[in-house]
Amino acid sequence: MRTHRASVVAVALLIATALAGCTGSPSGDASTPATSGASESPLPAASESPKPTATPTSKPVAIPEDCRAILSDDVLAQLEDVPLNDPAVGPTGIQPGGSLLCIWRDPRADTTALITTISHMNRGPALGMLNVLADDKGFTCFTPDEGTRCEKTWENEVYPVTDGRTLFWRDGVMIDTSYSNLAPSGYTSSIVASLFE
């Protein structure tokens, strides 16, 4: 009985509080602070409920479709005599999963090549992969251009040339380049500028 009476009192207090919040000024309008401008828009009536607003989200970076368009004129000049996506090197361009594969290579050459894959990759898997390269594979990592870049070079096991790999991740996009005896100056930076600036 006492519990029922307490419940009734609690409900009555809630109703009284709600009604007190709904009372307006003597003119019948909702109470508003005095303003000096006559052209101010009136506030919504007390009976109107606020409408939800969408939280703005950043648009995902699109994977490019053209291997040449993502490079500066300077980088393209350094690759002028190297075939791009020759049919003899296999499937290139846009891949079934949506990534872009660019292969700069003369199929008659034994080792000279530059292979880049640009794909979407979430932050967790991307940074996990880069951490493994830094911790276990001897890659050097740093954070230029608002992203994370890891790179390493080594001597080719068969030919007297330098091989290497450079990876750059930012905003859900991974740029992964492996090369052998073909490392144009500014290559990765040119792609980064094309995608993010």
Side-chain angles (χ1 to χ4, degrees), residues 63-83:
I63 301 299
E65 299 181 0
D66 188 331
C67 296
R68 289 184 188 276
I70 57 177
L71 299 175
S72 67
D73 291 341
D74 178 58
V75 173
L76 287 171
Q78 296 174 64
L79 292 166
E80 184 177 6
D81 298 325
V82 183

Side-chain angles (χ1 to χ4, degrees), residues 41-68:
S41 299
L43 292 175
S47 61
E48 291 183 26
S49 58
K51 293 182 174 60
T53 56
T55 303
T57 56
S58 58
K59 187 177 179 182
V61 176
I63 301 299
E65 299 181 0
D66 188 331
C67 296
R68 289 184 188 276

Side-chain angles (χ1 to χ4, degrees), residues 5-17:
R5 188 176 299 139
S7 297
V8 169
V9 170
V11 169
L13 285 173
L14 285 173
I15 291 172
T17 303

